[in-house]
Amino acid sequence: MILRTPPPKKQRAEPILHESPSPQVASEGRLVIYEDNPLAAPPPESPHQPSDHLLCTYQCRQMVKADFIDALSNAEKQIRDYQSKLEILNENLSKAEVERKKFRDQFLYAEQELAAAKGREQMLHDQLLKEVNDSQERFKKQLETNNELKGKLQNELNLRKKAESSAASAEEKAADIEGKLTQFSQSIEREKKQLQNELSQLKGESKLSISRISADLERTEFRANSAEKESELLKEQLEDLKKQLNECLNQKSEVEKKMSSFTFQEVTSSESSILIKHLQEELRNYESEVREARKLKSSHEDIELLKAKLLEEKGRRERAESELSKLQEQQICLSNLEKELSLWKLIMKDIPGVSCPEDIPVKFATLQKEVIASTMKIGETNARLKQIEVGLDAAQLAKQNAEAEAALDKEKAEILKSEVKRIELMLSMVTEERNKLSNAINELKRHKNEEAGDEVASGTVVQELESSLAKKESCIKELERSLHEQKEINDRQHNEIKMLHDRLNNEARRIKSLDRETDRLRSEISLLESKLGHGDYSASNTKVLRMVNTLAVDNEAKQTIEALQTELQKTKEKLQALEELKSQSGDTGKLVDSYISEKITKLKEQIATLEKREERYKTVFADRISVFRRACCELFGYKANDYTAQPEISHQVDIFVRKLNSIPAFTANLTVESFNRRTLS
Amino acid sequence: MASRTVAKDIITLRGSAAIVSEFFGYAANSILYNRGVYPEESFAKVKKYGLPMLLTQDEENEIVGKEWLEAGKLQRVVMVIMSKATKEVLERWNFSIETDSDVVEKGVSREKSDREIMREIQAIMRQIASSITYLPCLDEPCVFDVLAYTDTDVPVPFTWIESDPKLIANPQMVKLHSFDTKIHKVDTLVSYKNDEWDEQ
């Protein structure tokens, strides 16, 4: 081992003296006389050399005594000096011991502090480990909760999708059924209206026919009455004629009597013969007239009967025809209604839980309730989903926070590790210093044993110790300051990070809520646009009208006009017949004239109304036919007036339109022909 | 054109109704020509809205009467293209109308540049012409119908009857541009039946 404090240099004169007293002191007052003897050079090594070598005379003895006494006194002085020095050294030693004790206490204190630091470090390490374990456990738990939440979310999403799909299918079904129901209800209403219109028309027609029949009946009655009256008149005429004839016969018989009486007188004059001839001629004329009257009367009666029969037959035929047409229409309507009924029944069979039409609104109400319930469920699932999403977001945030905390804890652990390393370094430094101190203490001890106390060396050692202590204290203080500052910085940074995290979380939540709202609004907008584009409408505010195909309307008007025209013709014929009858009946019809005139006025009024109706229908027909012609022109691009007069066009119409049923082919042919004509011309 | 003060670009209810009614006529003709419902020979070229428009050979092409527009009772005009054989609805050209109720009730007028209205209508006409690029081909002979969505209190003239809306099931929809006279706003939308090729 290398000694720090070199052993003191050995002086030639003094070391022996220095060393000599000690052996003297050690030995029992043995006097050793110095001789300049090389053998005595290593006296310390052999202090017990025999005194047999030493020889002196009396003078020498006295001199030696004096010298010895001087030397003794000097030695005593030196001893005193040495004692004083020793005392000083002892004091110094005690001081050094005190200082050593101090240093030792300080060393122990440092050791204690080191142990405490180690303990603290261990505690911190344990705490860190605990925190890391806790954070890992928390992280694991949060991961588990996150996974559970994810699983729940997926389940909820699946449920939601299923519910949405079921709701969508139910809605579609309900919408389809609604649409069908509305269509059917509309068609039912339309058909009801049509049937009601037809019914009213039929009622009107039946009333008209009844009135016609009653009018016909009245006419026939009137005719019958008139015929009866005529027959009575004719009978009266006949009776008159008979009476006249009888009178003529009586006159003839009288004249014959007279003539017979006159024959006796034989005064026959030509005048009487002429008179007789005249009378005979008149008789004959009267007979012929009577015969003619009878013939006329019979013929007239026959004609009347035939006319009446003809009219009746015509009326019956018309009625039969109209009723046949009505029957056909009714049969068509009936077949249509039966088809629709069968369709409804099929649809009702398709709809589950519906056995009769009355069940349809109930079923519809149940379906609506189901739709409402499903929408409510969808809303609830949406709310739950949103809650789960919020929870998931919170879990993710917590996870992020935990991750951040774990990172922070890792950083802390690393910082603590670095601190531990630093402390270990410090510890190594301190141990080194301790070793130094222990070496110094050993050296001090050595110094103490050798009675050598180099004040400078101990002082330097003490100073070195003090300086090293001061340095260590300053280092410790600096380290503590830096630790404190770093702790403060870390705390500040932690707080800032926490604040930023909170702000970030709030902003993220706001952004997510806004995203959800935008998605909801976009879905609503898309739904509304789809409904708008689809053509949905509210029946309470809106009705749908369609531009009519004017052809059917014109046909109906034509038919009504034709029917009215035939009626008009019939009434005109009847009126003519009545007028003829009136002219034929002559004087005897005076009684009937009033009745006939009333009837005639009524008929004229009817004719006027019918004519007005005819004119109205004609104007309507003219308007509609013009619209129809315009539509035809717009559609096909051609205008044809009186096409039937042109044989070519009528031929083309027969071929393309009637046989092939293709109007575009007809128009194409017309364009090609017109083009050819123009190019050729 | 009806009463419009060109100098100050003031538009009255009657003028706006005339513009919208005229637009429906030209749009219907354009649709019939572009979709090939009627042959090309049926149409004649005229200049309108700064574009060459095709019209059928007739003086009047009024589809919807102005009375409904002036009364603010007309909500929508729909042109339906159907298969002639099966009567299946293939396309629906939907023109939605929003009327300013203040103008109808109080008779006030609005201000808008005539040129701007024509520009907006021109854009719609261009879109109708370009619709053949994405609409499915009409290979079979077709016919058309005109539907009018009106208020329930409107009396039905003899040239119109009540009808069902003739909807398409699961249609594809394309929204076109709209134009606004400040009194009547017309939105255009075409919905068409999904083509089998597209579904594949």
Side-chain angles (χ1 to χ4, degrees):
Chain A
M1 193 173 73
I2 297 165
L3 294 171
R4 281 205 181 165
T5 54
K9 285 180 185 176
K10 291 177 188 177
Q11 289 178 4
R12 281 199 177 178
E14 289 177 353
I16 294 164
L17 288 168
H18 280 293
E19 288 175 1
S20 62
S22 58
Q24 278 182 352
V25 170
S27 65
E28 295 170 358
R30 204 173 191 180
L31 188 68
V32 176
I33 297 163
Y34 177 75
E35 279 185 5
D36 193 6
N37 195 353
L39 290 171
E45 293 177 4
S46 59
H48 297 289
Q49 276 188 1
S51 59
D52 295 339
H53 297 288
L54 297 171
L55 298 168
C56 58
T57 62
Y58 181 81
Q59 282 180 345
C60 290
R61 283 186 195 155
Q62 294 292 331
M63 280 175 67
V64 167
K65 251 189 205 176
D67 290 329
F68 184 73
I69 291 164
D70 290 331
L72 190 71
S73 59
N74 289 329
E76 283 179 355
K77 281 181 190 173
Q78 279 180 2
I79 285 162
R80 279 184 220 127
D81 290 333
Y82 288 139
Q83 277 180 354
S84 62
K85 281 181 185 173
L86 187 70
E87 285 173 2
I88 292 160
L89 281 170
N90 281 331
E91 286 174 6
N92 289 331
L93 186 69
S94 63
K95 282 180 190 173
E97 278 185 2
V98 165
E99 284 178 3
R100 186 179 68 82
K101 278 179 186 173
K102 276 185 196 172
F103 285 131
R104 196 179 169 188
D105 292 334
Q106 281 178 2
F107 175 71
L108 288 168
Y109 183 71
E111 276 186 353
Q112 282 173 6
E113 281 185 352
L114 190 67
K118 275 188 180 175
R120 265 180 269 151
E121 182 203 340
Q122 192 66 33
M123 271 175 65
L124 285 168
H125 193 65
D126 293 335
Q127 268 181 11
L128 188 69
L129 282 169
K130 274 183 193 174
E131 281 177 8
V132 166
N133 289 331
D134 290 337
S135 63
Q136 278 180 353
E137 282 174 4
R138 263 182 274 154
F139 189 63
K140 279 178 191 172
K141 279 178 189 173
Q142 279 173 357
L143 278 171
E144 282 170 12
T145 53
N146 199 14
N147 291 330
E148 281 173 14
L149 286 167
K150 275 184 184 174
K152 280 182 187 175
L153 180 70
Q154 277 180 355
N155 290 333
E156 289 294 324
L157 281 169
N158 293 332
L159 283 168
R160 182 192 173 189
K161 279 177 189 171
K162 281 179 192 171
E164 278 178 355
S165 61
S166 63
S169 61
E171 277 178 6
E172 281 173 8
K173 279 183 190 172
D176 290 334
I177 290 163
E178 270 183 34
K180 282 178 187 171
L181 280 166
T182 50
Q183 281 177 9
F184 285 133
S185 60
Q186 283 170 5
S187 61
I188 287 161
E189 282 176 6
R190 260 179 266 144
E191 282 173 9
K192 268 186 190 172
K193 281 179 189 172
Q194 280 177 6
L195 286 168
Q196 279 172 1
N197 292 333
E198 283 171 8
L199 201 83
S200 59
Q201 279 177 8
L202 284 167
K203 278 182 184 173
E205 284 173 6
S206 65
K207 281 179 186 173
L208 274 168
S209 62
I210 287 162
S211 62
R212 255 182 264 154
I213 288 160
S214 60
D216 291 336
L217 196 72
E218 284 175 2
R219 260 179 253 140
T220 50
E221 280 178 1
F222 167 70
R223 274 182 215 144
N225 292 330
S226 62
E228 280 178 5
K229 283 171 186 171
E230 283 174 7
S231 66
E232 281 172 6
L233 285 166
L234 286 167
K235 277 180 186 173
E236 285 172 7
Q237 280 180 5
L238 190 69
E239 283 174 6
D240 290 334
L241 284 167
K242 277 185 181 173
K243 280 178 188 173
Q244 281 178 7
L245 186 68
N246 291 328
E247 285 174 6
C248 290
L249 285 168
N250 291 330
Q251 280 176 8
K252 182 186 169 185
S253 60
E254 283 173 5
V255 162
E256 280 176 354
K257 278 178 187 174
K258 279 179 186 174
M259 274 182 69
S260 61
S261 64
F262 283 144
T263 50
F264 287 118
Q265 291 177 3
E266 290 182 357
V267 182
T268 56
S269 59
S270 60
E271 292 177 2
S272 62
S273 62
I274 291 162
L275 186 74
I276 288 160
K277 280 178 188 175
H278 279 299
L279 284 166
Q280 281 176 352
E281 281 174 10
E282 279 180 15
L283 197 72
R284 278 179 219 141
N285 288 332
Y286 278 134
E287 281 175 4
S288 65
E289 279 177 7
V290 164
R291 268 181 243 139
E292 282 174 10
R294 280 181 190 164
K295 279 179 191 173
L296 275 167
K297 185 188 168 189
S298 62
S299 65
H300 187 71
E301 285 175 2
D302 291 335
I303 286 162
E304 288 298 320
L305 281 166
L306 284 167
K307 278 184 182 175
K309 279 181 187 173
L310 187 71
L311 288 165
E312 282 176 12
E313 289 298 320
K314 278 183 183 176
R316 273 186 214 158
R317 194 192 72 182
E318 284 164 11
R319 266 179 266 148
E321 281 174 2
S322 62
E323 280 169 11
L324 268 169
S325 63
K326 282 174 199 169
L327 187 72
Q328 284 175 359
E329 288 172 4
Q330 292 297 323
Q331 280 177 350
I332 291 161
C333 289
L334 197 70
S335 63
N336 289 333
L337 283 168
E338 282 176 359
K339 281 177 194 172
E340 283 184 11
L341 265 167
S342 61
L343 275 169
W344 288 356
K345 280 177 185 170
L346 284 167
I347 288 160
M348 269 165 49
K349 280 178 192 170
D350 290 337
I351 299 167
V354 171
S355 58
C356 64
E358 293 167 354
D359 293 338
I360 288 170
V362 174
K363 184 71 183 174
F364 188 61
T366 53
L367 280 169
Q368 278 180 339
K369 281 176 192 170
E370 280 175 14
V371 164
I372 290 162
S374 61
T375 48
M376 279 171 67
K377 278 183 193 172
I378 287 164
E380 285 173 6
T381 51
N382 280 334
R384 254 188 266 161
L385 191 71
K386 280 176 186 171
Q387 283 176 4
I388 289 161
E389 280 177 359
V390 167
L392 187 70
D393 294 334
Q396 281 180 352
L397 285 165
K399 177 187 166 186
Q400 286 172 3
N401 286 335
E403 282 175 356
E405 280 176 8
L408 283 167
D409 290 334
K410 277 182 187 172
E411 285 176 7
K412 273 187 198 173
E414 283 172 5
I415 289 162
L416 284 167
K417 278 179 186 173
S418 64
E419 281 184 10
V420 162
K421 280 179 187 173
R422 243 185 286 158
I423 289 162
E424 280 175 357
L425 279 169
M426 275 176 65
L427 185 70
S428 63
M429 279 172 66
V430 164
T431 50
E432 283 175 7
E433 290 298 321
R434 188 193 67 182
N435 292 328
K436 274 186 196 174
L437 284 168
S438 61
N439 289 330
I441 287 160
N442 290 330
E443 282 178 9
L444 276 167
K445 277 182 183 173
R446 270 188 221 152
H447 279 290
K448 190 178 174 184
N449 288 330
E450 287 175 359
E451 294 182 353
D454 192 3
E455 294 181 359
V456 175
S458 65
T460 55
V461 165
V462 165
Q463 282 174 5
E464 281 176 8
L465 285 169
E466 283 177 357
S467 64
S468 66
L469 268 168
K471 279 180 193 173
K472 278 175 198 168
E473 281 177 5
S474 64
C475 284
I476 286 162
K477 282 178 185 172
E478 279 178 10
L479 284 167
E480 281 177 359
R481 247 181 270 156
S482 65
L483 235 160
H484 191 67
E485 282 171 10
Q486 277 184 0
K487 273 184 186 174
E488 283 176 5
I489 289 162
N490 280 336
D491 290 335
R492 255 180 271 153
Q493 283 177 353
H494 273 298
N495 291 331
E496 282 177 9
I497 285 162
K498 275 179 188 173
M499 274 174 65
L500 287 168
H501 269 297
D502 292 334
R503 271 189 216 168
L504 200 75
N505 295 334
N506 290 333
E507 291 300 319
R509 268 178 229 158
R510 255 188 245 169
I511 286 161
K512 275 175 187 169
S513 65
L514 285 168
D515 286 335
R516 268 176 247 141
E517 274 185 30
T518 51
D519 289 335
R520 188 179 55 82
L521 288 166
R522 269 181 208 157
S523 64
E524 278 181 18
I525 286 163
S526 63
L527 247 171
L528 289 166
E529 279 183 353
S530 68
K531 278 187 180 172
L532 196 74
H534 197 240
D536 287 340
Y537 64 99
S538 166
S540 60
N541 303 328
T542 311
K543 65 182 175 187
V544 182
L545 302 174
R546 185 170 64 88
M547 200 184 266
V548 162
N549 181 8
T550 54
L551 278 169
V553 173
D554 289 339
N555 281 334
E556 285 174 10
K558 267 190 181 174
Q559 283 174 6
T560 52
I561 286 163
E562 283 172 8
L564 287 165
Q565 279 177 347
T566 51
E567 276 188 31
L568 190 70
Q569 274 182 355
K570 284 169 203 166
T571 50
K572 278 185 180 173
E573 284 169 7
K574 285 171 191 172
L575 194 68
Q576 280 174 4
L578 278 168
E579 282 175 0
E580 282 172 10
L581 268 173
K582 189 181 170 185
S583 61
Q584 280 177 4
S585 60
D587 300 327
T588 56
K590 283 180 187 175
L591 289 167
V592 186
D593 275 344
S594 61
Y595 190 71
I596 289 167
S597 62
E598 285 174 7
K599 283 284 171 183
I600 285 164
T601 51
K602 279 181 190 174
L603 287 166
K604 278 184 181 174
E605 282 167 12
Q606 281 184 7
I607 287 160
T609 54
L610 286 167
E611 280 177 351
K612 279 180 195 172
R613 216 186 278 177
E614 189 192 350
E615 283 173 9
R616 243 183 283 152
Y617 278 125
K618 275 183 182 174
T619 52
V620 166
F621 178 75
D623 288 333
R624 287 185 190 177
I625 201 73
S626 66
V627 169
F628 172 65
R629 280 174 182 277
R630 257 184 273 141
C632 286
C633 286
E634 280 177 32
L635 286 168
F636 307 116
Y638 286 99
K639 227 177 200 177
N641 295 321
D642 197 16
Y643 69 94
T644 51
Q646 300 175 30
E648 294 173 356
I649 291 173
S650 64
H651 184 63
Q652 286 178 20
V653 164
D654 286 332
I655 293 166
F656 290 109
V657 178
R658 287 184 192 142
K659 283 185 187 173
L660 300 176
N661 288 323
S662 172
I663 291 170
F666 170 67
T667 53
N669 192 37
L670 271 176
T671 50
V672 166
E673 280 191 1
S674 63
F675 173 73
N676 287 333
R677 268 182 219 159
R678 278 181 202 166
T679 50
L680 284 169
S681 64
Chain B
M1 291 290 173
S3 55
R4 265 186 287 149
T5 310
V6 177
K8 291 186 183 177
D9 292 333
I10 289 171
I11 291 178
T12 61
L13 178 64
R14 215 181 240 187
S16 178
I19 292 169
V20 174
S21 177
E22 198 179 46
F23 163 75
F24 286 140
Y26 280 96
N29 276 279
S30 179
I31 290 163
L32 289 173
Y33 173 77
N34 281 301
R35 302 306 290 137
V37 178
Y38 289 108
E40 294 178 18
E41 304 87 50
S42 317
F43 296 91
K45 227 179 234 187
V46 296
K47 189 93 177 180
K48 188 70 182 173
Y49 307 120
L51 295 168
M53 302 295 300
L54 287 142
L55 274 182
T56 54
Q57 303 276 4
D58 204 344
E59 293 170 359
E60 280 192 33
N61 283 286
E62 196 178 87
I63 283 179
V64 171
K66 293 171 203 160
E67 300 82 25
W68 285 342
L69 286 162
E70 285 175 15
K73 301 283 186 187
L74 188 61
Q75 297 174 13
R76 246 192 264 194
V77 172
V78 180
M79 190 164 182
V80 178
I81 296 175
M82 304 177 286
S83 165
K84 189 178 177 182
T86 61
K87 299 293 177 194
E88 187 191 3
V89 180
L90 302 171
E91 281 179 20
R92 275 181 115 253
W93 290 82
N94 184 83
F95 301 95
S96 304
I97 302 156
E98 281 177 40
T99 311
D100 191 345
S101 53
D102 281 340
V103 175
V104 174
E105 285 163 17
K106 294 171 191 171
V108 295
S109 58
R110 298 274 187 247
E111 269 187 48
K112 184 154 182 180
S113 162
D114 195 21
R115 201 179 276 180
E116 202 178 324
I117 294 168
M118 293 301 136
R119 218 181 300 143
E120 288 171 9
I121 293 172
Q122 195 192 85
I124 297 170
M125 293 300 180
R126 282 183 199 278
Q127 279 193 312
I128 290 170
S130 66
S131 66
I132 56 171
T133 55
Y134 54 84
L135 290 174
C137 293
L138 300 174
D139 298 321
E140 51 188 332
C142 295
V143 291
F144 77 97
D145 246 335
V146 178
L147 305 179
Y149 286 57
T150 63
D151 293 352
T152 49
D153 56 348
V154 164
V156 182
F158 67 92
T159 50
W160 294 81
I161 55 165
E162 288 201 26
S163 164
D164 64 303
K166 296 188 187 293
L167 301 176
I168 300 173
N170 297 320
Q172 287 284 328
M173 283 180 275
V174 176
K175 198 170 184 313
L176 307 182
H177 288 312
S178 60
F179 81 92
D180 188 5
T181 63
K182 297 284 185 187
I183 294 173
H184 294 101
K185 189 183 174 198
V186 179
D187 290 311
T188 313
L189 187 140
V190 60
S191 55
Y192 55 94
K193 190 188 155 200
N194 265 321
D195 199 5
E196 289 172 359
W197 290 100
D198 291 340
E199 283 174 4
Q200 285 170 7

